[in-house]
Amino acid sequence: MDLAIETNGLTKKYGSLTAVNRLDLRVKRKTIHGFLGPNGAGKTTTIKILVGLLKPNEGTVRVLGQELHGDKTAGFLNSFYEQADSRLSIGYMPELPKFPKHLKGSELLDIYGQMYGMTQQHRNEQIPKLIELVGLKGRENDLIGKYSKGMQQRIGIAQTLLNNPELVILDEPSLGLDPVGMVEVREVVKEIAKEGRTVLVSSHLLFEVEQICTDVTIINRGTALVSDTLQRVSGLIEGPAMLHVEVAKTSDKIVNAVKKLPSVTSVVQTGNTLRIQMKTHEDTRAQVSQEITMSGGIIIGMSQKTSNLEDVFIQLIHKDQGEKPR
Amino acid sequence: MNTRTSTRRRRPSWFIRFWAVVRYEMLWNIRKKKFLGLVIVAFALATLIWVLPIVSSNATDQPIEADPDFAVNFAIPGIGLFLFALITAMNSFSSEFESGTVVPLLTKPVSRTMVFLGKLLAALIIILFTYTILFVYGIIGGTLVYGSQNNLHLVPIGLFGNILSTFLWVAIIIAAGTLSKSTIISALVAFGLFFGLLFAVQIISVLAGPSPILNYVPGSGASGKMMTPQGQIDIGAGTDNIGVNMINYVLYPSANVDFNMTRIELQGNQPLITQVFAYSEPISLITSRSVVTTIVYTIVFLFIAWIAFKWAQILE
């Protein structure tokens, strides 16, 4: 498997607290990988190890094929230089990023671009595009000290993409953004991935991950509980399905007919809507539809709610903590 | 190194990346309000040096006495060196940690050593540039007031000495900043050390005489007097006086500096304070010792700062 990120037995301790506990993380290339977990699960600590801000106590880290931290064969100074080089292909946006307030937005991108070794010409071409992409056109010559939290988040995304990275790591990219900004960020993330990059997104917004990610890892107490494609992870829970049926005109006859179906547990009528609790997770829409029609009902709409990422997340976390899911 | 799936890009020139750090730091420094304030105060004081004699001369109707050595004696006082060091270096590292800007900085492809050296070079450039302008300004003004100047070719030596003296304080402040990751703590440590040593040197000088040990700590050091064909010159033997002492050494290479100690005796009920000769040292020894002491301290403190910065873990 072609991996962009691979950790084996990654462990990070702060005194007696184990923030990351033998984490095996695998992020396939050219995927959008959601990194989920409750607060304090070890997401940010893991990411900081991946970008070289923290050193692990144990385990190995390989980013874009290059081993970090544990390379004993390279000399002391050489190893140090190499680790800086490993960041040439990584774009990273920290959680609630802070940038020097004395710099203008365009100056920040220009200086960071220079740190990536970009030529002046390349920077002059790239920076206006990024400013436009993140919606900061017209404000690029303002000091960052005058930027709102949302604008700082936007310049944070722009600096992430400066070097045309192979791997983009976003730590809570929507934090602090208004709903419009959140939608825009999701669109930007999708755009980033379209260009063949690998994106690792840490987020506590499950609907956001569901909308943009192809793969997911859920961690708790520093350990991966599950890691797979979003589809497989979402399908981990196969509880009974719930049908929502909107009927033109409901009647007791229709309700009783549906209740008599062997696969139905209960039916609750609210106005013209029937909420039908099934006994299994299987798709029984055809059966229910037939019964309603035969009883003289006209179906306007029907949807089946199956388990989603949120259900899986909550169940896994509660299970890991030895609690019963609510 | 294992490059199982090598996706490494061509390594860009280290100099481009290093210079980006220098730019980053220089822009920070020159836009600091406190730095601009200090520069204004320094220029105001340099102006006073040559404006006051004009005012005094006009008030007393006495002509201004020519001073052909004004330029070679022009130096920034110890407190000035300390303040320039403090303002330039105080925020350099600690503020990055406090504000969180260290996170995006250290996740760029610049090594911590590169960041460390880049910030040092930026401080050096800022201090060199400011001192050069200040010296040129002061000396032009002095020349206009005190007439033509001798030995102007020695002024760069004085400038170099002042920068060396400043860099000792820069090193101390940066070490305090990287160890504490706190601007307030690094400023308090620096102020405490500067004023603590300043007062300690004065107290020790009075109580125990101008002990040579005073010349091995940062600051003004022991005070002595040097006889020259032009008369007696006050000499500070510490690390803050390298600029003037280097010039004095070039001008009077075989001169000696006499250090006296204060003796307090009781004559009846009245204390009698007298100055007694303690020891003498050649200016060459004083200058070379203060240069070596400064370099050693600077290297030691910068090494401590580098290690602290290199191993700092970014928790927040």
Side-chain angles (χ1 to χ4, degrees), chain B residues 21-34:
Chain B
V21 179
V22 177
R23 264 183 76 201
Y24 171 92
E25 185 68 11
M26 277 173 56
L27 281 172
W28 190 334
N29 266 320
I30 61 175
R31 287 177 185 169
K32 278 182 204 164
K33 283 180 188 155
K34 44 185 176 277

Side-chain angles (χ1 to χ4, degrees), chain B residues 5-257:
Chain B
T5 317
S6 178
T7 53
R8 253 189 271 176
R9 301 177 181 198
R10 192 174 61 83
R11 176 187 282 179
S13 147
W14 68 268
F15 182 76
I16 291 176
R17 293 187 265 172
F18 176 69
W19 191 250
V21 179
V22 177
R23 264 183 76 201
Y24 171 92
E25 185 68 11
M26 277 173 56
L27 281 172
W28 190 334
N29 266 320
I30 61 175
R31 287 177 185 169
K32 278 182 204 164
K33 283 180 188 155
K34 44 185 176 277
F35 176 76
L36 296 173
L38 181 63
V39 169
I40 290 168
V41 169
F43 274 88
L45 291 174
T47 308
L48 279 180
I49 290 173
W50 48 270
V51 166
L52 281 180
I54 297 172
V55 174
S56 169
S57 167
N58 286 338
T60 58
D61 273 343
Q62 295 287 318
I64 298 170
E65 206 175 318
D67 181 3
D69 293 326
F70 174 82
V72 289
N73 289 327
F74 187 84
I76 299 166
I79 182 76
L81 303 174
F82 169 74
L83 287 176
F84 267 110
L86 187 73
I87 299 299
T88 311
M90 186 172 73
N91 299 91
S92 198
F93 289 89
S94 52
S95 185
E96 294 270 12
F97 287 102
E98 285 171 330
S99 65
T101 51
V102 73
V103 173
L105 176 63
L106 292 185
T107 49
K108 299 291 168 290
V110 284
S111 69
R112 293 191 187 198
T113 304
M114 226 182 252
V115 172
F116 185 79
L117 294 176
K119 281 176 173 275
L120 276 188
L121 181 62
L124 178 65
I125 292 170
I126 292 287
I127 290 170
L128 175 67
F129 185 75
T130 312
Y131 281 14
T132 303
I133 302 281
L134 198 58
F135 267 62
V136 169
Y137 178 74
I139 289 165
I140 289 174
T143 307
L144 292 173
V145 175
Y146 296 111
S148 64
Q149 297 292 304
N150 294 335
N151 301 308
L152 280 174
H153 63 287
L154 297 180
V155 171
I157 296 177
L159 184 64
F160 171 75
N162 275 272
I163 290 169
L164 201 57
S165 300
T166 308
F167 241 70
L168 169 52
W169 290 111
V170 167
I172 292 172
I173 293 160
I174 286 179
T178 48
L179 286 169
S180 67
K181 297 179 188 170
S182 158
T183 304
I184 290 176
I185 292 176
S186 70
L188 285 176
V189 167
F191 269 112
L193 207 58
F194 180 80
F195 287 106
L197 288 171
L198 191 68
F199 293 128
V201 164
Q202 302 302 325
I203 292 165
I204 292 169
S205 294
V206 170
L207 296 178
S211 168
I213 200 158
L214 300 178
N215 302 321
Y216 292 95
V217 292
S220 54
S223 296
K225 294 195 183 300
M226 184 172 80
M227 282 307 297
T228 71
Q230 279 73 37
Q232 202 175 50
I233 299 175
D234 288 328
I235 295 287
T239 59
D240 282 351
N241 304 293
I242 294 174
V244 172
N245 288 349
M246 284 171 100
I247 290 176
N248 281 328
Y249 167 64
V250 174
L251 291 174
Y252 317 107
S254 56
N256 283 322
V257 179

Side-chain angles (χ1 to χ4, degrees), chain A residues 2 6 12 14 29 48 51-55 62 64-67 71 73 76 80-82 84-85 87-89 92 94 98-100 102-104 107 110-112 114-117 123 143 159 163-166, chain B residues 1-14 16-17 19-21 23-24 27-29 31 96 99-114 306 310-316:
Chain A
D2 197 9
E6 182 182 6
K12 178 67 188 174
Y14 300 116
R29 282 180 194 258
K48 283 187 173 177
V51 295
L53 288 174
L54 290 174
K55 292 181 176 65
R62 193 178 285 277
L64 297 172
Q66 191 176 352
E67 192 163 322
D71 189 356
T73 56
F76 175 71
F80 198 67
Y81 201 103
E82 292 288 319
D85 280 355
R87 295 192 285 266
L88 279 169
S89 307
Y92 165 60
K98 304 281 190 331
F99 300 107
H102 64 280
L103 291 177
K104 296 170 185 171
E107 277 175 347
D110 192 60
I111 289 173
Y112 282 172
Q114 201 177 2
M115 287 179 188
Y116 281 108
R123 300 199 303 268
L143 289 175
Q159 59 91 35
N163 55 325
N164 195 20
E166 288 175 57
Chain B
M1 177 165 294
N2 191 331
T3 50
R4 190 178 54 180
T5 317
S6 178
T7 53
R8 253 189 271 176
R9 301 177 181 198
R10 192 174 61 83
R11 176 187 282 179
S13 147
W14 68 268
I16 291 176
R17 293 187 265 172
W19 191 250
V21 179
R23 264 183 76 201
Y24 171 92
L27 281 172
W28 190 334
N29 266 320
R31 287 177 185 169
E96 294 270 12
S99 65
T101 51
V102 73
V103 173
L105 176 63
L106 292 185
T107 49
K108 299 291 168 290
V110 284
S111 69
R112 293 191 187 198
T113 304
M114 226 182 252
W306 176 63
K310 197 170 125 52
W311 294 108
Q313 300 226 28
I314 318 297
L315 301 177
E316 293 301 322

